[in-house]
């Protein structure tokens, strides 16, 4: 399956691989700089994710970092360069953004699951990236911080990253963190700029699903991806769309919009649900049913 997959050309700042069927692994590859985000790396991620969204045979994406850090946020050298050129367009960038920090933090156009395999520290935009992932696996040594207040900037789009000469960025980190952790705990991270541990991120702030040993981060992420891909991709993607819509609408509007969406139409009219219904009908009992063989979803 993976032999025929040809992702878009990208720089050495991003590594792309296919560790198992239906899964793509994106590795931030700037370990010397703690995988700090550059305009080039953002462009690479954006192009690969757009291709991923349109590739029917890929159902799950995993994000991780190379070396001892996951992502240290924005690359300050690029920020200083933008500042020296007078490229300070913060408000315009916020208003016109599409996908946010690293082309991920505000990415609401994809119904395919995204897993963060957090191998080490995540700061600023690195945390914002994580907050928009569906499942977060963190190493026990990982730490998280939104230190923008200590630098005189705002945790609204990767801190200073919006000043780059790059596509405008924006994220919903403040309302999203408040919704996940609650007002008081979100205030603790945003107003104090303090660092929290992986266990705290899981147990108190609730944006980490699982904490594992450093050596097990990727294997744990692969296991979660394997569980996801054992399910119907039509059902999984429709379920994620429902979660995305729930962030935007009230209950009734969410139900109505979701039920009438193209993704739901594909689910109910697709080959996977028909094949599964036929399998149930032909089985003597539930316990003897054959394991389903899901097919790639049709393109929307």
């Amino acid at each position: 399956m993976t032999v025929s997959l040809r992702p878009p050309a990208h720089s050495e700042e991003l590594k792309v691989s296919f560790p198992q069927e239906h899964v793509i692994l994106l590795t931030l590859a700037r370990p010397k700089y703690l995988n700090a985000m550059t305009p080039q790396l953002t462009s690479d991620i954006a192009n690969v994710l757009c291709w991923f969204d349109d590739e029917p045979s890929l159902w799950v994406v995993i994000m991780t970092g190379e070396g001892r850090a996951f992502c240290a946020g924005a690359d300050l050298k690029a920020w200083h360069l933008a500042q020296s050129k007078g490229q300070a367009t913060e408000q315009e960038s916020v208003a016109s953004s599409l996908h946010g920090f690293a082309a991920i933090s505000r990415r609401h156009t994809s119904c395919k699951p995204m897993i963060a395999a957090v191998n080490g520290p995540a700061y600023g935009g690195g945390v914002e990236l994580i907050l928009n992932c569906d499942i977060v696996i963190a190493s026990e040594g990982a730490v998280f911080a939104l230190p923008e207040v200590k630098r005189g900037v705002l945790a609204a789009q990767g801190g200073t990253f919006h000043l780059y000469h790059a596509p405008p960025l924006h994220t919903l980190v403040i309302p999203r963190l408040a919704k996940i952790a609650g007002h008081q705990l979100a205030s603790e991270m945003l107003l104090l700029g303090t660092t929290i541990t992986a266990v705290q991120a899981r147990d108190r702030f609730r944006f980490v699903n699982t904490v594992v040993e450093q050596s097990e981060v990727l294997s744990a992420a692969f296991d979660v991806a394997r569980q996801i891909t054992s399910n119907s991709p039509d059902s999984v993607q429709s379920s994620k769309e429902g979660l995305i819509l729930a962030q935007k609408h009230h209950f009734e509007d969410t139900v109505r919009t979701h039920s009438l969406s193209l993704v739901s139409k594909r689910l109910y009219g697709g080959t996977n649900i028909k094949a599964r219904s036929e399998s149930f009908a032909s089985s003597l009992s539930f316990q003897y049913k054959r394991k389903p063989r899901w097919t790639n979803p049709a393109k929307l």
Side-chain angles (χ1 to χ4, degrees):
M1 193 257 329
T2 59
V3 175
S4 62
L5 291 175
R6 292 183 173 84
H10 51 278
S11 73
E12 295 180 351
E13 296 186 1
L14 181 69
K15 292 183 178 179
V16 181
S17 60
F18 306 95
Q20 57 197 46
E21 190 174 18
H22 304 307
V23 177
I24 184 173
L25 173 65
L26 303 185
T27 304
L28 308 180
R30 303 185 73 234
K32 182 178 178 181
Y33 305 99
L34 304 182
N35 299 317
M37 196 62 52
T38 65
Q40 178 61 59
L41 183 50
T42 294
S43 177
D44 289 341
I45 295 171
N47 291 336
V48 172
L49 285 181
C50 284
W51 170 80
F52 161 76
D53 285 342
D54 290 334
E55 174 51 58
S57 67
L58 292 174
W59 305 352
V60 178
V61 58
I62 300 173
M63 293 289 306
T64 194
E66 183 177 295
R68 63 187 181 90
F70 177 74
C71 177
D75 185 281
L76 294 181
K77 289 184 178 179
W79 174 68
H80 285 300
L81 178 61
Q83 283 286 79
S84 67
K85 293 181 178 180
Q87 296 167 352
T89 57
E90 296 95 327
Q91 291 171 298
E92 292 82 355
S93 295
V94 169
S96 60
S97 170
L98 180 60
H99 294 311
F101 183 84
I104 292 176
S105 66
R106 199 189 176 207
R107 194 175 195 87
H108 284 169
T109 57
S110 177
C111 292
K112 296 183 179 183
M114 179 173 289
I115 301 170
V118 185
N119 55 298
Y123 302 110
V127 174
E128 299 183 29
L129 185 164
I130 290 166
L131 286 173
N132 202 37
C133 289
D134 303 295
I135 295 178
V136 181
I137 311 295
S139 76
E140 57 189 6
V143 293
F144 306 85
L146 292 168
E148 283 82 354
V149 291
K150 296 179 180 295
R151 301 171 183 170
V153 290
L154 179 66
Q157 44 203 331
T160 57
F161 190 82
H162 55 287
L163 301 180
Y164 291 177
H165 183 55
L169 306 171
H170 176 29
T171 181
L172 299 176
V173 62
I174 295 176
R176 182 175 289 126
L177 184 59
K179 186 173 183 179
I180 295 171
H183 177 85
Q184 285 73 24
L185 287 174
S187 297
E188 189 173 321
M189 284 196 74
L190 288 161
L191 306 186
L192 278 64
T194 53
T195 300
I196 65 171
T197 67
V199 171
Q200 288 175 316
R202 181 193 63 191
D203 297 343
R204 293 187 68 218
F205 295 85
R206 298 179 298 175
F207 61 81
V208 166
N209 296 82
T210 305
V211 177
V212 298
E213 293 182 5
Q214 172 71 35
S215 60
E216 297 178 358
V217 172
L218 273 181
S219 61
F222 293 157
D223 181 62
V224 170
R226 193 175 296 108
Q227 293 181 61
I228 293 174
T229 57
S230 70
N231 299 322
S232 163
D234 292 309
S235 300
V236 168
Q237 291 176 31
S238 184
S239 296
K240 177 171 176 179
E241 183 191 43
L243 288 169
I244 293 173
L245 291 171
Q247 298 178 23
K248 302 177 180 180
H249 305 292
H250 294 297
F251 179 81
E252 289 298 333
D253 290 336
T254 296
V255 173
R256 186 180 302 107
T257 304
H258 188 209
S259 63
L260 298 176
S261 72
L262 291 176
V263 178
S264 290
K265 181 178 180 181
R266 180 180 66 182
L267 165 65
Y268 291 114
T271 58
N272 283 321
I273 196 170
K274 293 178 181 177
R276 198 70 191 115
S277 298
E278 293 172 358
S279 175
F280 272 117
S282 62
S283 296
L284 294 177
S285 68
F286 180 84
Q287 71 181 96
Y288 295 119
K289 70 182 186 298
R290 292 190 301 270
K291 185 177 181 180
R293 295 181 62 85
W294 308 117
T295 59
N296 296 329
K299 284 192 173 184
L300 293 175

